[in-house]
């Protein structure tokens, strides 16, 4: 018989913290805390396996229900209460809990087991009628919403009416009689909305609630969340049935959430918030603004001391920052949840660093604690410290970084504006799980209510989005699409800047700057360097980018695109002259004008990369990219350059191609116009010799693009070696240089053994290789590729994350075949994929020597390469 139900209570649990896959994160945490002797209300967990089995045809697997009833009986014995009793009723919460936390995505029902009779029992046993009816109405509200699909707002409206009628301002002002009256109204509403009375049978309630949690695994928002966070659909959720403890029993009761360290900055401080006389969902939902946890010390010193002891125990047990939920019932503390806390990248770095220094974790663990995907956040823009500005409002700094964008007021608008290429800031009173699509699309999020643990704050931190919450001075009018602060009115579409590190809201656009590596982050990266096997280089075309990349730790340049240099300043004129040349003689003359520019650029780059290799790619794009296309632009160039309009136009038509990506480009240019590549090799080698004479250590690597046949490379290699020898002879020095090629056509990968005869290195140009392998034009696929990804045909955009099954095979084959011919062949990757953690894992696995990525991805790549090495061990 499969065991589907695991009990915990009385200091003993059937499962433990290692059973996350089976019990879900929440269930495993409850079991582990129980075993640690931490006060947890008793309960039981129905496994994720049961959920998966249930999904097939919406029926429980054999034995599950019987085991549930048995566990329920045990729960009654443990609590000395009876489920459905009208004297001393047992109430439970029914809580979802997947392997990884998905905040607010799935459903939880509290106070289950109440009906018209048991509520009376609860009133008597607690000696608190107000509490009993408050709990009952909460139950009707939650159950009807989650299980029966009645809108939450309809209940809230009824409450507001009563409050208005009686002149109350807070929910806590309502009396027992008020709640009793509302319970009747709630039941009538349910009858009206569903055509059926509110279920009074507690067993039916339990069954329906379990089903609802199982079903919530497949609701739309959970699916969206899983997609964004790459969580497999077949993990399922566990169901936790937990004896209720009550934070709403009066002023000696309350509920709160806390982090053992600051989840935003990583600072070592107990951090959180709580509400007196409230149930858990009040804190998370952001309905009432909670108080900081430090106040609990004044209000309930005994409880606070106990809580401190628990959190310290949990942190040293889990050796990680914990996110905890607790409830105080009449002065007694209960823990309801513990899990590794979500944190910003900044906090992840600080916590990993501190915990290593505290001796809690070792270096490897510290490196593994910082997710490569996440550190991108640290490399996000912040407000230029030199900027002077006056904020119009200030809220809580929920997730750091800064963002500039146009104001929108709904998640849908955020998505549709972003789809049109607008940068937007989503401004809402509070966010709810339905908003995540819009939050994802926005540059940043600003909410008027809610605390540091509200939905908006938690989700934004997870997404690495800048976010401000609880900005109470802004007043949003969603219908009019404006918000006001004092006498300032901000309309939809207006620009604002938000600073998630300080909580400041600024009218208009403020200049943002790129960040630098903090000391702690730099140190963690240096630990990563101790573990990684892959080299990390950068793609850079200018001395400036090279310098930035060096500061981020790049160990050379994997791709320097020479054509970018062609566009700068007035050199484009010389380039155009070269293109327009009709004879070789004219072309050589024009090229002579381009050469000094190229040489200067190379000298700058070689100097910035002192001691590290620089891979220079010879001209790659088709020539027509350098001349204007529209008649209007042609006219402009004609006026400026003195070249007749007709001549330009004729050249444009001559150079026109139907499939430019497969046209006259790459080494095909070098084959047909050898003087172009020759000029480039002269420029590279002369620059190298000149800086070498100045004492710079220089390792040029000359790379021939788009080779598909070894003969192309054979010819161009011969030319390169001839020119290089000539230049070195002229300068009277010998430099070590390499000649290699890009592998970016399937044929190159297939014949890598032949090509390797003439190449000392291979650099996999995975952008073109993806394009040519998938037969998918990068420039045209935007219209349908997102649809493919949505439908799951490709799990991810193959231009962002390497298509391992397809393109990956070619890369692997290229490496293997190439090394067969030339065992010391150097191999690397220089497509966009070089900065993508999943692709980097692959590069490590197939034994590449290095990855090369854009300067700002270099830290990501260093860390990802270390993770790949550590995880393979
Ligand atoms: P989520 O995963 O959305 O945090 P939870 O299952 O943790 O959902 O429950 C939501 C809230 O209900 C929590 O804040 C918790 O404090 C409260 N809660 C859950 N179970 C109980 C219980 N048995 N007694 C009291 N409060 C509970
Ligand atoms: Mg929770
Ligand atoms: Mg290419």
């Amino acid at each position: 018989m499969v065991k589907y139900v695991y009990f915990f209570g009385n200091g003993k649990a059937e499962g433990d913290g290692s059973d996350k896959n089976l019990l879900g994160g929440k269930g495993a945490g409850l079991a582990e805390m129980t075993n640690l002797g931490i006060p947890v209300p008793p309960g039981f967990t129905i496994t994720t396996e049961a959920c998966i089995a249930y999904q097939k045809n919406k029926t429980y697997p054999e034995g599950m229900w019987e085991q549930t009833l048995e566990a329920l009986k045990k729960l009654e014995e443990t609590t000395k209460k009876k489920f459905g009793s009208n004297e001393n009723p047992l109430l439970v919460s029914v809580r979802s809990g997947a392997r990884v936390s998905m905040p607010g995505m799935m459903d939880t029902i509290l106070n289950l087991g109440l009906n018209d009779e048991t509520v009376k029992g609860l009133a008597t046993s607690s000696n608190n009628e107000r509490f009993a009816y408050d709990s009952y109405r909460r139950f009707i509200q939650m159950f009807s919403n989650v299980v029966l699909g009645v809108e939450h707002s309809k209940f809230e409206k009824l409450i507001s009416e009563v409050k208005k009628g009686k002149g109350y301002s807070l929910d806590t002002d309502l009396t027992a009689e008020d709640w009793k009256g509302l319970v009747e109204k709630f039941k009538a509403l349910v009858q009206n909305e569903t055509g059926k009375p509110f279920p009074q049978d507690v067993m039916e309630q339990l069954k329906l609630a379990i089903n609802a949690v199982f079903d919530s695994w497949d609701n739309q928002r959970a699916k969206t969340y899983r997609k964004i966070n790459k969580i497999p659909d077949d993990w399922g959720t566990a169901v936790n049935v937990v004896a209720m403890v009550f934070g709403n029993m009066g002023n000696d009761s309350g509920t709160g959430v806390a982090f053992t360290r600051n989840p935003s900055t990583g600072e070592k401080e107990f951090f959180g918030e709580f509400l007196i006389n409230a149930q858990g969902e009040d804190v998370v939902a952001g309905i009432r603004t909670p108080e900081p946890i430090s106040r609990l010390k004044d209000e309930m010193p005994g409880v606070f001391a106990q809580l401190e002891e628990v959190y310290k125990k949990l942190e040293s047990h889990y050796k990680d920052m914990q996110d905890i939920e607790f409830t105080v019932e009449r002065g007694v503390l209960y823990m309801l949840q513990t899990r590794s806390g979500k944190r910003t990248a900044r906090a992840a770095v600080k916590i990993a660093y501190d915990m290593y220094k505290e001796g809690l974790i070792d270096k490897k663990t510290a490196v593994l604690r910082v997710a490569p995907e996440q550190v991108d956040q640290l490399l996000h823009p912040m407000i230029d410290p030199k900027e002077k500005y006056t904020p119009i409002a200030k809220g809580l700094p929920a997730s750091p970084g800064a963002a500039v964008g146009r104001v929108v007021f709904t998640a849908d608008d955020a998505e549709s504006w972003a789809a049109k290429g607008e940068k937007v800031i989503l401004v809402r009173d509070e966010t709810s799980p339905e908003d995540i699509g819009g939050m994802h699309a926005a540059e940043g999020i600003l909410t008027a209510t809610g605390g540091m643990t509200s939905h908006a704050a938690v989700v934004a931190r997870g997404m690495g989005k800048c976010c401000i919450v609880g900005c109470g001075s802004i007043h949003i009018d969603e219908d009019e699409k404006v918000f006001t602060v004092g006498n300032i009115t901000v309309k939809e579409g207006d620009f604002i800047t938000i600073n998630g590190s300080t909580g400041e809201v600024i009218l208009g656009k403020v200049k943002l700057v790129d960040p630098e590596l903090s000391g702690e982050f730099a140190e963690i990266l240096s630990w990563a360097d101790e573990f990684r096997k892959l080299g990390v280089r950068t793609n850079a075309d200018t001395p400036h980018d090279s310098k930035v990349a060096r500061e981020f730790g790049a160990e050379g340049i994997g791709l320097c695109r020479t054509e970018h240099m062609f566009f700068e300043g007035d050199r484009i004129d010389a380039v155009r002259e070269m293109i327009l040349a009709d004879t070789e003689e004219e072309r050589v003359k024009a090229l002579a004008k381009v050469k000094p520019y190229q040489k200067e650029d190379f000298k700058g780059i070689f100097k910035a990369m002192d001691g590290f290799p620089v891979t220079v790619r010879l001209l790659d794009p088709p020539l027509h990219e350098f001349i204007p296309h529209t008649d209007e632009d042609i006219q402009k160039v004609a006026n400026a350059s003195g070249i007749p309009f007709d001549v330009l136009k004729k050249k444009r038509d001559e150079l026109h191609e139907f499939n430019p990506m497969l046209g006259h480009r790459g080494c095909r240019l070098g084959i047909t116009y050898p003087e172009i590549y020759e000029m480039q090799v002269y420029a590279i080698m002369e620059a190298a010799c000149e800086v070498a004479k100045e004492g710079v250590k220089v390792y040029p690597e000359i790379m021939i693009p788009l080779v598909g046949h070894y003969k192309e490379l054979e010819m161009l290699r011969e030319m390169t070696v001839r020119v290089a020898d000539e230049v070195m002879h002229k300068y009277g020095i010998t430099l070590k240089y390499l000649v290699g090629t890009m592998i970016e056509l399937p044929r190159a990968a297939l014949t890598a053994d032949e090509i390797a005869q003439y190449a000392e290195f291979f650099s996999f140009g995975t952008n073109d290789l993806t394009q040519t392998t998938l037969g998918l034009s990068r420039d045209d696929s935007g219209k349908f590729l997102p649809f493919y990804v949505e439908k799951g045909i490709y799990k991810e955009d193959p231009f962002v994350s390497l298509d391992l099954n397809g393109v990956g095979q070619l890369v692997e084959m290229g490496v293997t075949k190439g090394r067969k011919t030339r065992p010391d062949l150097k191999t690397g990757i220089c497509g966009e994929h070089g900065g993508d953690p999943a692709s980097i894992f692959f590069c490590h696995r197939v034994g590449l020597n290095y990855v090369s990525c854009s300067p700002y991805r270099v830290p990501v790549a260093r860390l990802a390469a270390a993770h790949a090495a550590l995880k393979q061990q």
Side-chain angles (χ1 to χ4, degrees):
M1 175 62 85
V2 185
K3 186 168 173 61
Y4 287 114
V5 179
Y6 288 72
F7 189 82
F8 54 89
N10 273 343
K12 246 189 10 247
E14 292 180 335
D16 65 43
S18 62
D19 293 336
K20 266 191 186 169
N21 292 358
L22 193 61
L23 304 180
K26 200 177 287 169
L30 290 167
E32 187 83 359
M33 285 198 289
T34 304
N35 287 333
L36 284 171
I38 288 170
V40 172
F44 54 87
T45 303
I46 307 173
T47 63
T48 54
E49 266 176 18
C51 173
I52 295 301
Y54 166 89
Q55 297 300 349
K56 287 196 192 107
N57 43 18
K58 303 278 170 191
T59 47
Y60 298 150
E62 202 193 318
M64 186 202 107
W65 184 243
E66 292 69 23
Q67 293 177 30
T68 302
L69 293 179
E70 243 168 72
L72 188 63
K73 211 163 118 222
K74 211 161 160 189
L75 192 56
E76 290 178 330
E77 286 158 13
T78 310
T79 56
K80 304 194 175 62
K81 293 180 182 174
K82 244 185 129 40
F83 194 50
S85 145
N86 47 24
E87 275 168 20
N88 190 14
L90 167 67
L91 303 190
V92 295
S93 62
V94 178
R95 318 165 65 188
S96 60
R99 280 192 211 182
V100 293
S101 117
M102 299 168 56
M105 284 307 122
M106 289 175 302
D107 297 317
T108 286
I109 296 161
L110 303 183
N111 308 312
L112 188 134
L114 280 172
N115 60 26
D116 293 351
E117 294 309 315
T118 57
V119 70
K120 292 179 197 155
L122 185 64
T124 320
S125 67
S126 65
N127 196 19
N128 186 340
E129 199 174 32
R130 181 191 182 281
F131 150 73
Y133 281 90
D134 176 37
S135 303
Y136 192 18
R137 69 89 191 174
R138 284 171 188 269
F139 173 53
I140 298 176
Q141 222 169 324
M142 273 184 131
F143 187 91
S144 304
N145 179 243
V146 171
V147 179
L148 309 173
V150 183
E151 257 174 65
H152 189 75
S153 62
K154 295 197 167 144
F155 295 102
E156 288 299 326
K157 201 165 150 236
L158 292 173
I159 299 178
S160 297
E161 278 167 17
V162 171
K163 274 162 84 176
K164 212 165 166 195
K166 304 244 171 167
Y168 300 152
S169 62
L170 297 173
D171 283 7
T172 38
D173 294 336
L174 275 82
T175 64
E177 286 310 311
D178 294 330
W179 287 130
K180 250 190 209 175
L182 271 166
V183 161
E184 290 311 313
K185 287 190 182 147
F186 278 15
K187 284 195 297 183
L189 175 68
V190 173
Q191 171 82 49
N192 223 340
E193 293 279 320
T194 65
K196 276 189 247 156
F198 185 79
Q200 294 286 317
D201 176 352
V202 295
M203 277 305 172
E204 189 192 344
Q205 291 175 356
L206 181 61
K207 230 178 197 169
L208 288 172
I210 292 171
N211 296 351
V213 172
F214 279 165
D215 289 336
S216 72
W217 176 254
D218 261 337
N219 69 29
Q220 196 47 52
R221 60 184 207 234
K223 281 187 184 162
T224 310
Y225 185 91
R226 286 205 292 272
K227 183 174 263 166
I228 293 175
N229 292 284
K230 302 188 189 120
I231 298 168
D233 287 333
D234 60 2
W235 279 4
T237 178
V239 180
N240 301 286
V241 178
V242 186
M244 282 300 296
V245 288
F246 299 99
N248 56 337
M249 269 199 175
N251 288 336
D252 56 354
S253 304
T255 185
V257 296
F259 294 86
T260 59
R261 302 192 184 207
N262 187 313
S264 181
T265 64
E267 224 53 61
K268 193 176 179 183
E269 57 178 351
F270 192 39
F271 181 90
E273 31 203 27
F274 74 102
L275 276 172
I276 293 286
N277 197 8
Q279 272 197 339
E281 79 272 14
D282 299 348
V283 182
V284 190
I287 295 167
R288 273 162 65 189
T289 298
E291 298 188 64
I293 199 90
S294 52
R295 295 278 315 276
L296 190 65
K297 202 172 182 170
D298 310 326
E299 303 206 20
M300 299 182 185
V303 169
F304 188 80
Q306 215 189 329
L307 192 58
E308 264 190 316
E309 201 179 300
V310 167
Y311 97 71
K312 284 181 182 154
K313 193 169 186 176
L314 284 173
E315 207 185 73
S316 59
H317 177 73
Y318 283 103
K319 301 187 190 314
D320 195 7
M321 185 264 270
Q322 297 294 296
D323 167 357
I324 58 183
E325 297 180 1
F326 63 92
T327 281
V328 181
E329 177 182 315
R330 292 189 165 153
V332 182
L333 175 72
Y334 295 93
M335 303 307 297
L336 288 166
Q337 193 170 329
T338 189
R339 61 184 168 205
S340 288
K342 282 198 197 296
R343 63 205 76 177
T344 62
R346 181 172 156 211
V349 166
K350 172 126 184 75
I351 292 170
Y353 178 86
D354 286 351
M355 285 191 167
Y356 171 72
K357 294 281 162 179
E358 288 161 27
L360 215 51
I361 56 177
D362 62 11
K363 240 183 210 180
K364 284 182 188 170
T365 311
V367 168
L368 288 170
R369 281 283 165 79
V370 184
E373 294 82 0
Q374 199 187 15
V375 295
D376 186 40
Q377 262 183 57
L378 292 174
L379 307 163
H380 273 179
M382 45 186 211
I383 290 184
D384 185 346
K386 287 191 230 80
E387 285 284 293
K388 290 209 168 43
Y389 55 83
T390 319
I392 54 169
K394 196 161 178 202
L396 301 172
S399 182
V404 179
R406 306 184 110 109
V407 170
V408 292
F409 293 97
T410 68
D412 286 345
D413 286 340
E415 285 192 78
S416 60
W417 286 46
K420 284 182 281 177
E422 294 285 354
K423 294 197 182 312
V424 297
I425 308 280
L426 178 61
V427 182
R428 294 191 61 68
D429 274 323
E430 63 200 40
T431 62
S432 68
E434 287 83 55
D435 293 337
I436 51 168
M439 295 172 76
H440 198 61
E443 299 293 307
I445 297 136
L446 167 64
T447 73
T449 64
M452 292 292 277
T453 49
S454 63
H455 178 265
V458 172
V459 173
R461 278 198 291 273
M463 287 180 176
K465 284 248 141 116
C466 132
C467 174
I468 299 175
V469 298
C471 189
S473 59
I474 68 169
H475 298 281
I476 300 173
D477 186 332
E478 216 180 279
D479 298 331
E480 291 294 317
K481 301 199 170 190
V482 296
F483 77 78
T484 54
V485 197
N487 51 17
I488 301 170
T489 301
V490 180
K491 296 191 296 293
E492 180 183 59
D494 288 353
F495 273 101
I496 60 169
T497 302
I498 59 175
N499 186 346
S501 313
T502 60
E504 290 164 322
V505 182
I506 305 144
L507 202 57
K509 300 189 214 178
V510 181
K511 183 164 173 246
L512 305 184
V513 289
D514 294 321
E516 286 166 17
L517 293 188
S518 76
E520 284 151 1
F521 187 28
E523 189 138 351
I524 288 197
L525 288 174
S526 76
W527 302 343
D529 292 344
E530 293 172 24
F531 301 120
R532 71 182 157 91
K533 302 273 184 299
L534 277 170
V536 176
R537 297 195 191 180
T538 192
N539 300 346
D541 313 327
T542 63
H544 171 261
D545 282 2
S546 313
K547 207 167 144 273
V548 171
R550 277 290 304 127
E551 278 157 16
F552 282 145
E555 303 154 314
I557 292 182
L559 176 63
C560 170
R561 304 173 173 90
T562 48
E563 60 270 17
H564 286 190
M565 304 169 174
F566 280 20
F567 280 105
E568 256 179 46
D570 46 9
R571 37 185 101 168
I572 185 74
D573 296 337
V575 172
R576 287 194 176 126
E577 207 181 307
M578 181 265 292
I579 293 169
L580 292 168
D582 284 322
T583 65
E584 190 185 324
E585 202 187 341
E586 277 172 42
R587 200 171 306 115
V588 171
K589 220 172 85 200
L591 281 166
K593 291 189 196 163
V594 182
K595 196 177 102 184
Y597 293 121
Q598 290 240 295
K599 201 164 130 182
E600 270 322 295
D601 284 331
F602 292 141
K603 282 170 89 168
I605 292 169
F606 288 146
K607 282 183 191 163
M609 282 294 153
D610 189 5
F612 290 107
V614 176
T615 307
V616 183
R617 179 179 71 187
L618 302 186
L619 192 66
D620 184 48
L623 294 181
H624 58 74
E625 283 197 9
F626 300 100
I627 56 169
H629 281 213
T630 64
D631 283 358
E632 201 186 331
D633 288 341
I634 292 177
Q635 190 61 58
K636 265 192 222 150
V637 172
N639 294 345
S641 64
I643 304 167
F645 177 86
D646 290 339
V647 173
L648 277 169
K649 199 169 157 172
K650 189 164 147 264
K651 200 71 191 179
R652 176 200 67 186
D653 295 340
E654 261 174 48
L655 290 176
H656 173 262
E657 290 180 317
F658 289 102
N659 272 320
M661 278 313 191
L662 304 177
H664 195 182
R665 54 170 291 220
C667 66
R668 298 159 194 176
L669 291 170
I671 301 279
T672 47
Y673 303 122
E675 54 282 4
I676 299 181
Y677 273 21
E678 230 168 63
M679 177 279 286
Q680 292 197 294
V681 178
Y682 274 114
I684 295 167
M685 292 310 290
E686 286 176 14
C689 289
E690 285 172 26
V691 296
K693 286 209 153 167
E694 294 171 30
V696 176
K697 290 200 207 81
V698 50
Y699 302 102
E701 300 180 345
I702 298 170
M703 180 157 77
I704 318 284
L706 214 76
V707 165
H709 197 289
Y710 75 91
K711 284 193 176 161
E712 292 168 315
L713 188 61
E714 186 183 11
M715 283 168 77
L716 292 169
R717 181 191 173 84
E718 214 175 271
M719 177 279 292
T720 306
V721 172
R722 170 174 52 76
V723 173
D725 284 349
E726 182 194 320
V727 173
M728 290 191 294
H729 184 76
K730 193 176 104 195
Y731 284 85
I733 33 180
T734 314
L735 293 176
K736 190 168 161 31
Y737 70 97
L738 303 180
V739 182
T741 184
M742 289 185 83
I743 302 290
E744 50 187 340
L745 294 176
R747 192 180 193 283
L750 294 165
T751 59
D753 46 351
E754 292 175 355
I755 292 177
Q757 291 176 271
Y758 304 97
E760 283 143 320
F761 66 89
F762 280 177
S763 178
F764 291 87
T766 49
N767 295 345
D768 267 320
L769 190 58
T770 298
Q771 182 161 249
T772 51
T773 302
L774 275 55
L776 196 64
S777 153
R778 239 193 311 168
D779 303 307
D780 300 307
S781 61
K783 291 187 198 121
F784 56 90
L785 194 54
F787 190 76
Y788 265 54
V789 174
E790 201 179 302
K791 293 282 168 215
I793 296 173
Y794 287 113
K795 257 209 189 118
E796 267 192 89
D797 183 333
F799 291 108
V800 174
S801 201
L802 200 66
D803 160 38
L804 301 186
N805 282 337
V807 181
Q809 283 199 48
L810 287 171
V811 173
E812 201 167 358
M813 176 190 295
V815 174
T816 314
K817 287 194 155 192
R819 288 209 177 127
K820 209 173 264 167
T821 303
R822 190 187 288 267
D824 63 344
L825 182 79
K826 236 200 224 185
T827 56
I829 177 177
C830 65
E832 287 306 307
H833 304 101
D836 167 62
S839 310
I840 293 170
F841 271 62
F842 168 82
C843 293
H844 171 86
R845 189 175 66 69
V846 300
L848 294 191
N849 297 93
Y850 67 87
V851 297
S852 186
C853 56
S854 69
Y856 285 96
R857 301 293 293 183
V858 166
V860 178
R862 287 165 71 192
L863 199 54
H867 278 227
L870 288 171
K871 284 179 184 162
Q872 203 183 38
Q873 277 178 4

